[in-house]
Every structure is written in structure tokens, then in C-alpha cells.
DNA sequence: CGCCTAGTTGAGGTAAGTCAATTCACGTGG
DNA sequence: CCACGTGAATTGACTTACCTCAACTAGGCG
């Protein structure tokens, strides 16, 4: 149970049968660990497997010629790593663990076999992939059209909502191993400005970020400030029979 | 032939058999037209079909509470409209035609049936979807980490490459119905600044944008200036038998 | 003890935004 | 046929959000 955040995530949106849970479980055979800071997937690398993140945090990013990077998204327990790359011959981004992480390696063949056994599971996984894409779209809106403070607030609210789905967060806040430098690369800001913006939000009594913990001081006011509308995270579940409970 | 840009796009990456082309053709039954400026899909709308764009341009965007918008991507002939929304109950974005457009409406059931008839087609379509996602990721990098001039150059180079795939562009340039206001909303800039940046690029003899035509004055120098690396657009094709020619 | 990384703050610079005025092409109706 | 309105592009003057450089603090760890 503690080690099945994916089941918990999918289960929050679809009622999974015992059989489906069993198939899902079967995907978690090849367990591996990676240490913080060492890429598991390199931009340009081909022929790689996908992973399901069990514990710890990672992030996917693109490197620019001048050495700067843009973080596309952070991955938390229950998320896939490199799912899209499996469809393509070449990974167009890199993935690096923020902390030491535990993952299970999934080969395309395993995944396809699991799908053929339980089509509902296939839909659920494709739903998860669509949700990932919707998040990237929202990040684009974030970076393109929100100022630094709103951007920060929106980003942390999204993370909080995602973590809540796998019981690692709540409306109070969440434990967060991200440094201000990583935040800067995710939000398209400089590290210095990230620091200033965090102070600003703290002084406005909206949120705190200290000692690896994000605290929502006033969730509702913060959500309004950031124009945070979480429908893109939780679209009522995939196209499944109506018996799918919420 | 003129009205099958999708076949041309997929065909550029996968060798499609006569049978597969036939199935693809079968998807183009319900033809419809929409006029410029009138949304075909509304943010928050549910129960919508997907479309394949035959002629004309459209764009997908998200609207913010304050009335600003962020354009996520432009769609050109051969592209799907709202493919992701089909998997989700609710569309998280809106789609508006730039020009009058012709589309064919595709129901999920048609698509699934086509897939079951020809699995290779399914893979090809999923490849196209992955490519769309890779483009959104690249737009995020663009807006997050490139300055206005590089951003503009990169964006127009990407459009040029995509249009070339469906024979609507070349290394010389392409016809482009986009206004500077739309450009601004796509690049996260103000319309005024878009104008200044275009002047700057023109004076640097890199590209021109006049009277609805984008001209690449010096393609190679422009590509270097924008750090344009098109691998994310053309990943060597989907996971198909090696007989897929390039 | 001293180094390294993360965080913090100040001073000053700059890319891009805002506001506003002008031009031009175009359609449309008196 | 011309007056008028409208949408797009253009340019100038001024403002500002964010960046860069730089210095300093505090904790962790060999």
C-alpha cells in the first residue's frame, strides 16, 4: 500500500477491480534505485525503458546550448518517467532525480500486455498521460502569462494538489525537497528573484517555504491570487463506465 | 491528394500501405467548415469530437480570468484538433480558426475502429500525438528561456518545418495568416514588442514577415541564432518495422 | 576547522511592458 | 466617389519587472 502510489493515483479516479490491481502490481517487478543528481535518461538517448516512480522526486528538463535549462515538470510518487519517450525513438528531454529515488522499470512489451489483459487499465494510463500533457500546457500558460509571484503560487498549488492525490500533501502544505535553484529553472526565473518572490508571498501571509516544507497559510486566498483552477488536473476521470466513483 | 495533408504528414514518416491509406481515407467522411474567429471548441466544453484540419489555420489557447490568453499552438493542415480532449471528459482549452477552415469530424468510435483494423495506423497517430506534446514542451522552453528575438525566430522556424512536411513551406519561407497580435499571445509578449522584434530581425537580414508571408533571408544563420534543433519534430518515426523509409 | 551548497539581501542595469499617437489598407454606406 | 470606421502595423516616450553582479550568512560534513 505504501509502495503503490500509482494504484492510489489511478484509484482516485477509476474504481479498479482486484484483477486490475493485480495486473498493475505485476508491472512492479523490476525494482531499481537511482541516486540524487545523476540523470536516468539523457536528452538524445534512444532505446530506453519507462519507469514508475515509487518514492522520491525527479524532474524532466531540456538543456539549452548555452547551458541554461528549462524544467518541464517534476515527478512525484505514482508518476511515470519517460512514458512519452517510449513511443518515440529518441528521448527529447533528460530526467534527473531530485532525491534518491526508487522506481520500477517497465518495458513497452509489459505495458502492452497489461493493456491487452485489462483495457480499462489502458484507458486509465492514457488518461494519466493526457493529464501530464495538460500540466505541461498549464506550465506554458504559467510562464507565458503570469507574473513571478502568481507563477510561484500556481506552481506550488499544483504540486500540492498532485501530492494530495497520493496522500503526500494536504491543504496545509507538503514536504518539498526542491531547492530555489530548481524552482528558478522550472518557472523561467532567476534564483535570486525566486528568493524575493518567496519572501513577498511570506510577507503577504499567503505561503511559506522553509526547511523543505511548503505551508499554505491561506489556501483560498492563495488559490484566488494565483487564479488556480485545478480542473485540468482532475477532469472527472477517463472515458470509463459511469460506475467509476469519485 | 491536395485534400489529404494528414496522409502526407504521416506518410513522411511511415510508409503507409494502400489498405492503410484507405482506412485513413474512410475517416474523412463528415466534412465541415468553420469561419474565422468563431471558436469550434470552448474551454470547459464536454462531449466534443475531434477534427482533422484539411485547409486553413487554427490555434488552441487557454483564456485567463483577466482576459489575457496564452496560445498553446497553431494547427495547420494535417493536424488534429482536440485529439487530447477526446480522452478526457472536458476540454481544457479552446480552439479558434485563424482563417476559414475545412475539417473532417472524427468520432472516437471511428478512430478506435480504424485502429483495430490497422495497428500501424494507431501507432502512427499516437506518434503524431506525442509529437504534438513534444512541441508544447518546446514552446515552454521557448517562452521560459529564450529572449524575444530568439523566441520569434525559433517559433517561425518550427512553423516552417511543419509546413514543409505538408508542402506548404520551404527553406525560403511560407504564407502565414497570423497577425502580430496572435504572435504576441503565442510567444508571451506584447504586440508592440512583437513588432519591434520583427523589425530587428528584418534589419539583421535574418527574416522578413510582410503581407502575410514569412521569408527566411538566411536559413542557416537564423537556425543558429535561434538554437533551432528540429529533432523534436522528426524523431525518426514511430515504433514501426524498419521497412519504414525516410 | 574550513569548504561547499543553499539561502538572503542590496545596488544598479536592461529587456520588455504600457500608453499613446500615427499611418495604412480595407470595406461600407451616404 | 468620398467620408468614415475598423483592424493591423508602426513608432516614440516612459515605466517596470525581472536580471546580473556581488557580498554576506548559516548549516552540513569531511
Amino acid at each position: 500500500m505504501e509502495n503503490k502510489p500509482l494504484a492510489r493515483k489511478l484509484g482516485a479516479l477509476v474504481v479498479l477491480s482486484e484483477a486490475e490491481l493485480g495486473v498493475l502490481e505485476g508491472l512492479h517487478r523490476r525494482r531499481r534505485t537511482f541516486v540524487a543528481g545523476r540523470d536516468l535518461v539523457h536528452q538524445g538517448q534512444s532505446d530506453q525503458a519507462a519507469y514508475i516512480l515509487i518514492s522520491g522526486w525527479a524532474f524532466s528538463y531540456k538543456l539549452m546550448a548555452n547551458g541554461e535549462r528549462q524544467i518541464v515538470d517534476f515527478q512525484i510518487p505514482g508518476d511515470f518517467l519517460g512514458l512519452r519517450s517510449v513511443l518515440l525513438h529518441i528521448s527529447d528531454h533528460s530526467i534527473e532525480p531530485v532525491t534518491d529515488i526508487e522506481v520500477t522499470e517497465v518495458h513497452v512489451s509489459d505495458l502492452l500486455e497489461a493493456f491487452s489483459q485489462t483495457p480499462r487499465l489502458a484507458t486509465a494510463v492514457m488518461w494519466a498521460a493526457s493529464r501530464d500533457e495538460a500540466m505541461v500546457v498549464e506550465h506554458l500558460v504559467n510562464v507565458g502569462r503570469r507574473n513571478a509571484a502568481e507563477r510561484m503560487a500556481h506552481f506550488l498549488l499544483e504540486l500540492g494538489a498532485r501530492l494530495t492525490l497520493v496522500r503526500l500533501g494536504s491543504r496545509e502544505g507538503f514536504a518539498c525537497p526542491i531547492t530555489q535553484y530548481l524552482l528558478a529553472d522550472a518557472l523561467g526565473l532567476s534564483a535570486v528573484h525566486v528568493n524575493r518572490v518567496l519572501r513577498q508571498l511570506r510577507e503577504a501571509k499567503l505561503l511559506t517555504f522553509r526547511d523543505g516544507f511548503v505551508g499554505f497559510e491561506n489556501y483560498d486566498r492563495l488559490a484566488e491570487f494565483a487564479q488556480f483552477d485545478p480542473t485540468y488536473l482532475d477532469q472527472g476521470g477517463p472515458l470509463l463506465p459511469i460506475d467509476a466513483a469519485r
Side-chain angles (χ1 to χ4, degrees), chain A residues 58-64 68-75 93-94 96 98 136 139-140 143 155 178-188:
Chain A
F59 63 94
S60 48
Y61 67 99
K62 287 194 87 156
L63 213 50
M64 321 243 331
E68 285 188 303
R69 67 181 172 188
Q70 174 68 42
I71 292 180
V72 176
D73 201 3
F74 288 90
Q75 280 79 43
H93 58 269
S94 305
E96 178 180 321
V98 178
V136 177
H139 293 169
L140 176 61
V143 173
F155 174 77
I178 300 179
T179 68
Q180 295 187 357
Y181 293 87
L182 291 179
L183 269 180
D185 281 341
L187 299 176

Side-chain angles (χ1 to χ4, degrees), chain A residues 16-28 117-118 121:
Chain A
L16 293 172
S17 70
E18 283 301 317
E20 285 158 348
L21 285 170
V23 173
L24 205 55
E25 173 69 9
L27 286 178
H28 288 71
Q117 285 175 48
T118 65
L121 198 58

Side-chain angles (χ1 to χ4, degrees), chain A residues 48-50 86-87 106-114:
Chain A
Q48 73 290 0
V86 160
L87 260 189
V106 181
H107 294 314
V108 204
S109 49
D110 300 349
L111 207 56
L112 293 179
E113 200 195 319

Side-chain angles (χ1 to χ4, degrees), chain A residues 175-211:
Chain A
C176 180
I178 300 179
T179 68
Q180 295 187 357
Y181 293 87
L182 291 179
L183 269 180
D185 281 341
L187 299 176
L189 298 171
S190 70
V192 171
H193 203 58
V194 162
N195 185 282
R196 283 192 243 271
V197 164
L198 284 173
R199 171 152 60 100
Q200 189 182 322
L201 290 169
R202 191 186 328 127
E203 285 169 354
K205 301 233 181 301
L206 287 171
L207 72 82
T208 60
F209 189 171
R210 255 198 295 261
D211 302 325

